[in-house]
Amino acid sequence: MSTLIDGKALSLSLKEQMRDRIVELEAKYGRKPCLAVIIVGDNPASRSYVRGKIKAAEFTGMDSRLVELPEDVSQDGLLDVIAGLNAEAAVDGILVQLPLPKHIDEDKVIDSIAIEKDVDGFHPQNVANLWLGRKCIVPCTPKGIITMIESTGVDIQGKKAVVIGRSNIVGKPVAKLLLDRNATVTIAHSRTKDLAKVAAEADILVAAVGRPKMVTADMVKPGAVVIDVGINRISVPGPDGEPVNKLVGDVDFDAASQVAGYITPVPGGVGPMTITMLMENTIECFLNRQ
Ligand code: NDP
């Protein structure tokens, strides 16, 4: 039986430390860090993520601002809002909740955020700095994953790490962060041959795919650290037989937890840590701007 990496508990303790830090920062600099979150439209999942981010900001005591724009806002309209926040001295971090409606070019939006306020770390300059090994804002989910792995006390150096998924927001940056910590990293994806064999060699296995329970117990090396990034909504029979929605990860938790050394749950794993790292990044942007 594996040890649970409790993202919720770890997040809470980090946010409590940040609360004290923000009191100190306000005393020293005369203002608190401020995060601005922009949401376009009414996507329920996006609304729920944004609520979580604002709630976390309130918990830490930092200032926050929610900018809600209608689904049919024009691209120029959104870019104007971002330009306004870029220019505002009191705003330290700007996050545009993705995905955006089809008529808006996400790349243009990401490129328009002032680099020093890019709390998500998605700006091309930030991405370049990450890959060049220069100082940068590290994207929140990968940063949270590394923090969780490090919380186990397992030394990443020299370990075989397999990352399943090669997205710009999770797979690629987490692979780079593991490489920076001297793991030997394999990035697997939809064209990888014999994924089960590749995964089963991993001392550290990160699943960032978006396919419910695709990582089965036979894909997990005994004692491995397993990080489940996936957030999948599936329908299961409820107590009265009616279908109810359930959140599951990319890992078959019940089976994999019999084999892994450490494993993250879904929910309560990478999700809360992503939000907590956003708070850390906001503080970092604030400090960089002082
Ligand atoms: P993307 O859809 O951008 O990327 C998915 C990756 O999985 C792709 O690289 C794809 O390969 C790969 N893939 C798809 N099918 C297979 C397969 N059968 N075998 C191996 N690899 C496969 O997803 P994201 O990275 O944005 O997100 C991944 C998951 O993580 C989602 O469930 C998302 O909701 C969740 N997520 C959770 C966050 C959190 O805070 N907890 C934050 C961000 C995401 P290819 O490139 O070849 O197509």
Side-chain angles (χ1 to χ4, degrees), residues 199-265:
E201 286 177 0
D203 302 305
I204 297 168
L205 181 62
V206 179
V209 180
R211 288 169 67 98
K213 301 187 183 185
M214 72 159 280
V215 175
T216 45
D218 59 305
M219 295 168 73
V220 175
K221 180 176 173 177
V225 179
V226 177
I227 307 290
D228 190 353
V229 187
I231 301 177
N232 307 291
R233 288 173 174 79
I234 60 165
S235 185
V236 294
D240 54 3
E242 287 297 300
V244 290
N245 283 335
K246 190 180 173 207
L247 272 193
V248 296
D250 290 342
V251 176
D252 180 357
F253 181 87
D254 291 341
S257 60
Q258 302 298 319
V259 184
Y262 297 88
I263 190 165
T264 64

Side-chain angles (χ1 to χ4, degrees), residues 49 140-142 164-172 187-192 195 207-211 214 219 228-233 248-250 266 269-275:
Y49 294 142
C140 304
T141 301
I164 314 178
R166 54 175 163 181
S167 70
N168 288 332
I169 61 169
V170 190
K172 280 187 235 168
I187 305 179
H189 45 77
S190 67
R191 317 290 166 88
T192 296
L195 179 65
V209 180
R211 288 169 67 98
M214 72 159 280
M219 295 168 73
D228 190 353
V229 187
I231 301 177
N232 307 291
R233 288 173 174 79
V248 296
D250 290 342
V266 176
V270 177
M273 283 300 285
T274 295
I275 295 181

Side-chain angles (χ1 to χ4, degrees), residues 34-54:
C34 174
L35 171 67
V37 179
I38 303 174
I39 179 163
V40 179
D42 283 320
N43 178 313
S46 294
R47 290 232 150 241
S48 137
Y49 294 142
V50 162
R51 257 198 314 277
K53 289 166 187 177
I54 297 290

Side-chain angles (χ1 to χ4, degrees), residues 270-281:
V270 177
M273 283 300 285
T274 295
I275 295 181
T276 299
M277 295 302 110
L278 174 65
M279 303 303 119
E280 269 197 18
N281 282 357

Side-chain angles (χ1 to χ4, degrees), residues 1-277:
M1 195 65 191
S2 52
T3 302
L4 195 73
I5 310 176
D6 185 340
K8 214 168 153 188
L10 187 54
S11 278
L12 182 62
S13 110
L14 291 170
K15 282 187 297 184
E16 281 170 352
Q17 290 168 34
M18 279 184 231
R19 195 150 56 180
D20 296 341
R21 185 91 203 283
I22 285 166
V23 172
E24 290 165 19
L25 291 175
E26 190 182 17
K28 183 162 177 198
Y29 296 106
R31 70 176 190 91
K32 299 173 183 182
C34 174
L35 171 67
V37 179
I38 303 174
I39 179 163
V40 179
D42 283 320
N43 178 313
S46 294
R47 290 232 150 241
S48 137
Y49 294 142
V50 162
R51 257 198 314 277
K53 289 166 187 177
I54 297 290
K55 228 173 102 187
E58 285 168 358
F59 182 93
T60 63
M62 71 174 63
D63 287 332
S64 62
R65 202 178 298 176
L66 177 59
V67 182
E68 296 174 277
L69 300 172
E71 180 84 20
D72 62 356
V73 67
S74 68
Q75 179 167 297
D76 284 346
L78 173 56
L79 292 176
D80 283 349
V81 170
I82 294 170
L85 294 169
N86 281 343
E88 227 184 289
V91 172
D92 300 290
I94 302 171
L95 178 141
V96 180
Q97 185 64 44
L98 302 176
L100 291 168
K102 293 269 178 294
H103 66 279
I104 298 177
D105 181 340
E106 276 185 8
D107 287 348
K108 280 217 168 76
V109 171
I110 290 168
D111 294 0
S112 76
I113 295 171
I115 171 98
E116 70 275 14
K117 300 189 179 186
D118 177 32
V119 274
D120 252 341
F122 292 166
H123 191 285
Q125 186 64 57
N126 245 321
V127 176
N129 287 343
L130 178 76
W131 285 91
L132 291 168
R134 296 186 190 173
K135 184 174 158 50
C136 66
I137 293 294
V138 175
C140 304
T141 301
K143 188 173 181 173
I145 292 169
I146 296 295
T147 307
M148 294 177 98
I149 298 171
E150 289 178 342
S151 78
T152 64
V154 170
D155 188 8
I156 297 175
Q157 173 152 305
K159 295 290 187 313
K160 260 191 142 178
V162 173
V163 178
I164 314 178
R166 54 175 163 181
S167 70
N168 288 332
I169 61 169
V170 190
K172 280 187 235 168
V174 82
K176 174 62 168 66
L177 296 178
L178 287 162
L179 188 62
D180 288 345
R181 286 158 182 78
N182 300 316
T184 302
V185 184
T186 300
I187 305 179
H189 45 77
S190 67
R191 317 290 166 88
T192 296
K193 289 208 166 68
D194 208 350
L195 179 65
K197 185 164 171 271
V198 173
E201 286 177 0
D203 302 305
I204 297 168
L205 181 62
V206 179
V209 180
R211 288 169 67 98
K213 301 187 183 185
M214 72 159 280
V215 175
T216 45
D218 59 305
M219 295 168 73
V220 175
K221 180 176 173 177
V225 179
V226 177
I227 307 290
D228 190 353
V229 187
I231 301 177
N232 307 291
R233 288 173 174 79
I234 60 165
S235 185
V236 294
D240 54 3
E242 287 297 300
V244 290
N245 283 335
K246 190 180 173 207
L247 272 193
V248 296
D250 290 342
V251 176
D252 180 357
F253 181 87
D254 291 341
S257 60
Q258 302 298 319
V259 184
Y262 297 88
I263 190 165
T264 64
V266 176
V270 177
M273 283 300 285
T274 295
I275 295 181
T276 299
M277 295 302 110

